[in-house]
Amino acid sequence: MNTKQNAEKPEIILTGDRATGPLHLGHYVGSLKQRVALQEIHEQTILVADMQGLTDNAHNPKKVSANILNVVADYLAVGINPSQTTICLQSQLPALAELTMYYSNLVTISRLERNPTVKSEIHNKGFERSIPAGFLTYPISQAADITGFNASLVPVGDDQLPMLEQTNEIVRKVNSLAGRVVLNECRPLLSNASRLPSTDGKNKMSKSMGNAINLGASEKEISAAVKSMYTDPNHLKVEDPGNIEGNVVFTYLDAFHPDLDYVNQLKTHYRRGGLGDGATKKILEECLQDMLRPIRERRSQFLNDKAHLVDILVKGSQVSREKTSEVLFNVKDIFGLNIF
């Protein structure tokens, strides 16, 4: 983690995921492991972003509603504890939608279109000029989420830094209107983990692209994914020297194998020749099977008791509704809207 933690004064952390599919290994190495550690020393809230999931899935809302409990089960299965971390549902916090509306009057369309993260996503999704308004204003909604909880620290990937920059621009505008500090600016908390590539090595691992290994993947799914992984295309024979740069198998071994010395020995052997792709894939598969088996089993148990998952969301949303309503009151006061 790049930010020094102060155990005496816990920071307020907001993080979350869109409910557009079950979580995968990319989420695990990039953020979930970090969240498990953060809950021990900071005040952490995780937002299941169902409303933001609709910004590019309104034509298929069941994709979002059907995955809300999947995401919560994933959280619990990896070790996020609802007694330490508040887990809440975005659509159950009306203050966030209202804050989004007020903030939208402080941001221009041209500023939204210049946001590098939004530009990249628009290109990747092929929207061109047929951009859903909700998707274009996603950075404003995210600013409402962050400020709604008075979060000072936001775990993000480096591709999300422009979103936090835009959040802080909105914060400064609101504070300027108030003539005092009403909202706090936030800081990013970048993970030390490298971004996990997709199994084909062409993109980052993604729910929407179907190139991910889900946390609840079966043994057969894990096996099939590993066997299809991209390696060195010039490593045609076992005795040939191989290249580990861009070799997805070794990227995953670095990320998940518990014995890094052993992984380094494999790299040396592969580079000089004499180690086949089949052997390295077998080692990786055994590693992932061992790691994901208990997560998959816990996840299945949680999904068998959906009432418990709903109860976690209900309790977390009740607590969060109070926090976000307080921030909303203060922002409405700036605009002179608290007349009764």
Side-chain angles (χ1 to χ4, degrees):
M1 300 176 192
N2 296 340
T3 300
K4 185 176 180 181
Q5 297 170 345
N6 185 345
E8 295 181 358
K9 187 178 179 181
E11 299 226 40
I12 298 175
I13 293 177
L14 179 73
T15 183
D17 301 279
R18 300 194 330 148
T20 54
L23 303 184
H24 53 65
L25 286 179
H27 294 112
Y28 182 75
V29 72
S31 62
L32 293 177
K33 287 177 65 177
Q34 186 182 45
R35 296 179 200 179
V36 173
L38 289 171
Q39 70 182 352
E40 300 290 338
I41 48 179
H42 291 305
E43 180 184 331
Q44 180 172 247
T45 296
I46 298 180
L47 185 70
V48 180
D50 54 342
M51 290 171 62
Q52 288 174 7
L54 289 172
T55 60
D56 56 344
N57 289 287
H59 62 287
N60 183 21
K62 288 185 179 179
K63 180 180 179 181
V64 175
S65 60
N67 278 297
I68 291 172
L69 296 186
N70 275 326
V71 170
V72 178
D74 284 329
Y75 291 156
L76 302 184
V78 300
I80 292 172
N81 186 343
S83 67
Q84 295 175 296
T85 294
T86 300
I87 303 174
C88 57
L89 189 61
Q90 187 182 36
S91 61
Q92 294 303 307
L93 308 178
L96 300 183
E98 195 168 342
L99 284 171
T100 299
M101 180 60 202
Y102 298 138
Y103 294 167
S104 67
N105 297 304
L106 304 175
V107 182
T108 65
I109 295 295
S110 61
R111 176 63 183 93
L112 291 169
E113 291 178 332
R114 289 197 309 271
N115 187 305
T117 304
V118 174
K119 287 174 67 175
S120 175
E121 288 293 326
I122 288 172
H123 173 74
N124 291 339
K125 295 179 184 296
F127 283 143
E128 297 183 355
R129 295 305 299 170
S130 299
I131 311 166
F135 190 86
L136 185 63
T137 59
Y138 178 15
I140 303 176
S141 173
Q142 193 169 58
D145 298 338
I146 294 168
T147 59
F149 287 90
N150 273 319
S152 56
L153 202 57
V154 183
V156 292
D158 55 8
D159 61 326
Q160 292 293 309
L161 291 176
M163 306 293 264
L164 297 196
E165 180 183 346
Q166 194 148 16
T167 292
N168 286 336
E169 287 178 9
I170 291 171
V171 167
R172 289 190 287 270
K173 288 182 179 180
V174 170
N175 289 341
S176 178
L177 282 172
R180 65 187 191 281
V181 175
V182 176
L183 302 176
N184 298 317
E185 292 191 32
C186 62
R187 308 187 319 281
L189 178 57
L190 296 174
S191 171
N192 291 328
S194 300
R195 187 176 301 171
L196 202 65
S198 59
T199 53
D200 58 15
K202 296 179 179 179
N203 302 285
K204 70 175 182 178
M205 187 171 280
S206 168
K207 287 183 286 189
S208 61
M209 294 182 181
N211 57 13
I213 300 176
N214 294 334
L215 296 178
S218 67
E219 291 186 3
K220 288 184 178 180
E221 289 170 335
I222 295 169
S223 179
V226 173
K227 288 177 181 177
S228 70
M229 279 186 179
Y230 179 81
T231 57
D232 178 3
N234 296 316
H235 188 236
L236 302 177
K237 299 178 181 178
V238 172
E239 59 269 23
D240 290 340
N243 193 352
I244 66 168
E245 285 72 26
N247 189 320
V248 175
V249 173
F250 281 101
T251 302
Y252 278 54
L253 284 171
D254 280 335
F256 300 109
H257 200 285
D259 190 341
L260 294 182
D261 288 336
Y262 176 61
V263 172
N264 286 330
Q265 292 174 20
L266 292 176
K267 290 179 180 178
T268 300
H269 192 176
Y270 192 81
R271 285 191 179 106
R272 72 168 181 261
L275 180 61
D277 290 324
T280 58
K281 288 182 177 182
K282 182 178 180 182
I283 293 167
L284 175 61
E285 182 186 340
E286 290 175 354
C287 166
L288 294 181
Q289 296 284 13
D290 289 344
M291 186 188 80
L292 289 177
R293 186 177 299 109
I295 293 175
R296 180 175 61 246
E297 292 173 354
R298 288 193 296 268
R299 184 180 187 278
S300 179
Q301 291 172 358
F302 287 123
L303 284 172
N304 283 333
D305 188 359
K306 292 184 178 180
H308 175 59
L309 300 179
V310 171
D311 186 59
I312 289 172
L313 280 177
V314 168
K315 291 178 178 177
S317 298
Q318 287 174 342
V319 171
S320 300
R321 200 173 294 125
E322 294 177 9
K323 293 180 180 179
T324 55
S325 293
E326 183 177 344
V327 173
L328 174 63
F329 180 88
N330 293 334
V331 171
K332 288 179 70 172
D333 207 44
I334 295 169
F335 289 98
L337 299 178
N338 292 325
I339 59 175
F340 56 84

